[in-house]
Amino acid sequence: MQDRVKEIKHFVECHCSNTNNESDARIVINISNGDQYAAPSSLQSIVDSLIGSDFRLFIVDPDTSSWAETKSPRIMKAPTQIFCTNTHRTITACFLLHSSRLSSGGGAVRSHLSNVEELVRRGGFVHTLVASKNLIEADLADALISAGSSFSYVGDLPWWYGTDTIINAYSPAVTEEIKGIDPDIVISQVGVLPQAALSSAVAGKPHVWYIREFGDLDYGWSLPAEPHMLGRIFSELSSICIANSSAIREYFFEESISNVVTVNPWFVTPQQTSIRSADTAASSKTFTFGVVGFIHAGKGQRDVVSAIAEARNLGYSFRVLFFGDCLESEFMYLKSLMHALGIETQIQWMGSDKDVSRIYASIDAVVVSSRNEAYGRVPMEAASFSVPIIYTMAGGLLDFMEHYVNGLGYYPGDIETLAKNMIQIYQSDDLRAALTERAKDLICPNALEKKKNQFISALNRSRTEYFPTPAQVLVKIICNSPANLSVTALPAPYQAPRTFYLRCRILIKNLFYRFKQKIRLFWR
């Protein structure tokens, strides 16, 4: 038995200590029925030996990706597998996801899946809390399990901005889930849900807030505070804040805030598996532009419709396919605009399509028309399928798009330039080839690996530099006193998302004032 323990220990040390070998980040020890029941003490001897050698042990159900860190595997049923990882490299993370649907969850859901895959690839373990009662889209469930994340439901969580309803932001259910999972860090995937930030403060866990949308500029939501004040709240309730673009960093966070890093999301390159679908094959001789994303006034589809009419006036007849879910009011507006311009036959509504390869197989070029895009995944997708890009020179797109280098740019609302860009893309085969070739730099392995390393570095920093902020201490005090959270007794003007912000702002300012006073007294 001692020889077997030494053999397993040596094998794990040789593989887990190699920080450059990502594929061996997890070492599996198979435990058979005989080992488990005939000699349970032998299994504990292996566990004790490995834990004493600076390793962490996890038991994982491969069917659901559920996991639990263990120091006593005797309670588990055999046969099973024990995953052994290096303590210094392993990150256990609990994410809060705002959507239970893959199709309408937007870039945040797709980025979450990429984050999960990367953490698991590096030996980490991930659990996703889904803001839903008990329903989750089958495709999202399959995608989470495939990526390596277990998941559970925490009920329909109210957003703290974008609505006029009364919000009791704190969720005891989220806190209990976090305490039960006991992760190294807690991560909020979007800015609209504050529950993970509050619950991580109560549970005493480092919190990372991933800010990936403007909210007001791109979706028309009302923020609970002006942007820089909201950025301070994000910062004070987190060990680290991650902005997904320079535009988001500048919009929310003042330069003096030190716990903010900018990490552009990376893109998992899909494979080309589709050809032009039946509904586009009939028009394959007509140059087709695609617009991919949620149909909303802030996404600029109106500019595309007007540009198609402008191009027609110049003698060019193009076709446009709109992919994505639609805001009903915007859909009706666009239909009336198309009717007024007389171009109904040139535009087709495709709805939401989960098959990315089918989308890009159906178009000859893509227009990223958002007036304020926080980052923009569509150019990455288009680059992977060698589809030329026309884009707005605004927001997070400026982090990586260059006019006449990897795409053709125009300023939001400049219909004339957009129409001219469309005509140029159509007329020149050489221009399309040059733009798509340079756009491949966006998805080259070195560029993607750099983004991944920045993300993992930010998570590690949240662990190593964790120390509760005054705001987090305050939140813990308030949230442990449920009676203090009720806002139903407040006058009507205060029964809104701003309530939590107003309370925190007053209390945080008082705490900062007292802290500064103590520092001054100390130095005297």
Side-chain angles (χ1 to χ4, degrees):
M1 179 59 212
Q2 291 301 320
D3 291 339
R4 185 182 179 197
V5 171
K6 290 179 181 179
E7 181 182 349
I8 292 176
K9 180 180 174 182
H10 175 71
F11 175 77
V12 172
E13 286 176 340
C14 289
H15 286 73
C16 284
S17 61
N18 182 0
T19 57
N20 295 319
N21 192 346
E22 302 294 356
S23 62
D24 288 331
R26 292 183 177 190
I27 304 301
V28 184
I29 304 172
N30 290 305
I31 306 300
S32 69
N33 269 317
D35 292 330
Q36 176 80 26
Y37 291 119
S41 60
S42 64
L43 178 57
Q44 189 63 46
S45 298
I46 296 173
V47 171
D48 292 341
S49 176
L50 292 173
I51 290 177
S53 302
D54 206 20
F55 296 105
R56 298 171 70 175
L57 298 179
F58 298 84
I59 293 181
V60 179
D61 180 352
D63 294 330
T64 63
S65 290
S66 60
W67 53 273
E69 189 166 6
T70 182
K71 293 183 179 180
S72 179
R74 299 180 200 178
I75 62 173
M76 307 301 292
K77 294 181 179 179
T80 188
Q81 291 180 329
I82 299 178
F83 284 77
C84 183
T85 64
N86 187 295
T87 298
H88 303 294
R89 296 178 56 197
T90 302
I91 298 176
T92 60
C94 178
F95 288 81
L96 177 60
L97 194 60
H98 71 299
S99 176
S100 60
R101 298 182 61 195
L102 180 60
S103 58
S104 61
V109 173
R110 296 194 297 274
S111 290
H112 173 62
L113 295 172
S114 299
N115 294 342
V116 171
E117 288 178 354
E118 184 60 21
L119 279 168
V120 171
R121 183 178 76 89
R122 299 194 183 213
F125 293 84
V126 179
H127 184 84
T128 301
L129 301 178
V130 181
S132 174
K133 287 183 178 178
N134 55 11
L135 296 175
I136 184 171
E137 192 179 66
D139 286 351
L140 178 56
D142 292 341
L144 285 171
I145 293 173
S146 177
S149 174
S150 54
F151 63 88
S152 59
Y153 309 102
V154 288
D156 291 327
L157 300 179
W159 292 12
W160 70 320
Y161 57 94
T163 177
D164 292 324
T165 59
I166 299 173
I167 288 184
N168 184 352
Y170 176 60
S171 170
V174 174
T175 301
E176 290 306 309
E177 286 281 348
I178 290 173
K179 288 181 177 180
I181 297 162
D182 194 25
D184 296 332
I185 53 177
V186 178
I187 305 172
S188 294
Q189 275 290 62
V190 289
V192 299
L193 294 177
Q195 287 80 5
L198 303 179
S199 293
S200 61
V202 175
K205 295 290 183 181
H207 175 252
V208 176
W209 213 324
Y210 208 143
I211 311 301
R212 55 178 76 251
E213 70 281 318
F214 293 106
D216 52 351
L217 301 182
D218 43 8
Y219 292 103
W221 301 327
S222 59
L223 301 180
E226 60 88 16
H228 274 183
M229 179 57 70
L230 186 56
R232 289 191 178 192
I233 296 175
F234 288 147
S235 172
E236 287 300 318
L237 292 178
S238 308
S239 299
I240 292 291
C241 289
I242 300 177
N244 75 338
S245 69
S246 299
I248 290 292
R249 172 71 169 85
E250 294 169 6
Y251 191 66
F252 285 109
F253 302 100
E254 298 169 333
E255 291 185 7
S256 59
I257 297 179
S258 60
N259 67 331
V260 183
V261 296
T262 301
V263 180
N264 294 148
W266 60 90
F267 175 67
V268 178
T269 306
Q271 300 298 315
Q272 182 80 53
T273 58
S274 301
I275 58 175
R276 279 183 180 264
S277 51
D279 54 356
T280 58
S283 300
S284 59
K285 293 183 180 180
T286 301
F287 198 90
T288 302
F289 290 93
V291 182
V292 183
F294 185 64
I295 298 174
H296 182 273
K299 293 298 184 179
Q301 286 92 350
R302 299 180 185 184
D303 293 346
V304 178
V305 171
S306 298
I308 291 296
E310 177 71 15
R312 184 198 59 186
N313 294 337
L314 296 174
Y316 296 91
S317 179
F318 299 131
R319 190 160 178 261
V320 175
L321 303 182
F322 282 121
F323 294 90
D325 288 334
C326 187
L327 190 67
E328 183 65 24
S329 59
E330 185 63 14
F331 176 76
M332 298 306 298
Y333 180 90
L334 290 174
K335 287 194 69 173
S336 64
L337 179 62
M338 291 159 48
H339 178 74
L341 296 173
I343 57 172
E344 299 99 320
T345 59
Q346 294 179 248
I347 296 177
Q348 186 171 347
W349 308 93
M350 307 302 294
S352 182
D353 194 333
K354 301 169 188 174
D355 188 341
V356 176
S357 66
R358 183 166 57 226
I359 291 175
Y360 291 96
S362 301
I363 60 179
D364 300 298
V366 69
V367 180
V368 184
S369 57
S370 300
R371 290 175 172 258
N372 285 285
E373 186 66 57
Y375 176 66
R377 294 174 59 91
V378 171
M380 307 294 175
E381 295 174 348
S384 69
F385 292 113
S386 296
V387 173
I389 305 160
I390 298 175
Y391 68 98
T392 50
M393 294 189 289
L397 294 170
L398 297 179
D399 276 9
F400 55 90
M401 294 301 298
E402 297 180 70
H403 185 47
Y404 270 106
V405 176
N406 53 15
L408 295 184
Y410 71 99
Y411 291 105
D414 188 350
I415 307 303
E416 183 179 346
T417 301
L418 173 55
K420 288 180 178 179
N421 286 345
M422 288 178 162
I423 294 170
Q424 276 189 287
I425 287 283
Y426 163 70
Q427 289 179 328
S428 177
D429 293 342
D430 291 340
L431 177 61
R432 292 199 301 273
L435 293 177
T436 54
E437 184 63 29
R438 289 297 302 272
K440 290 180 181 178
D441 292 342
L442 300 176
I443 56 172
C444 71
N446 289 341
L448 298 181
E449 195 64 23
K450 180 180 179 181
K451 295 175 183 179
K452 295 175 182 178
N453 290 336
Q454 289 173 334
F455 175 68
I456 297 299
S457 176
L459 299 190
N460 279 322
R461 180 181 164 190
S462 72
R463 288 194 303 172
T464 58
E465 298 180 9
Y466 171 65
F467 188 82
T469 65
Q472 288 173 319
V473 173
L474 178 63
V475 164
K476 186 173 184 178
I477 294 172
I478 294 175
C479 291
N480 281 331
S481 303
N484 293 334
L485 294 175
S486 175
V487 297
T488 55
L490 293 174
Y494 297 95
Q495 296 182 11
R498 184 173 289 270
T499 303
F500 179 77
Y501 151 68
L502 290 173
R503 286 185 169 189
C504 280
R505 182 178 181 181
I506 295 171
L507 293 170
I508 289 171
K509 279 190 172 181
N510 288 337
L511 276 177
F512 281 155
Y513 175 77
R514 293 178 184 178
F515 181 74
K516 289 179 181 179
Q517 289 294 97
K518 289 184 179 180
I519 292 295
R520 288 172 182 168
L521 290 173
F522 174 80
W523 283 111
R524 286 178 183 176

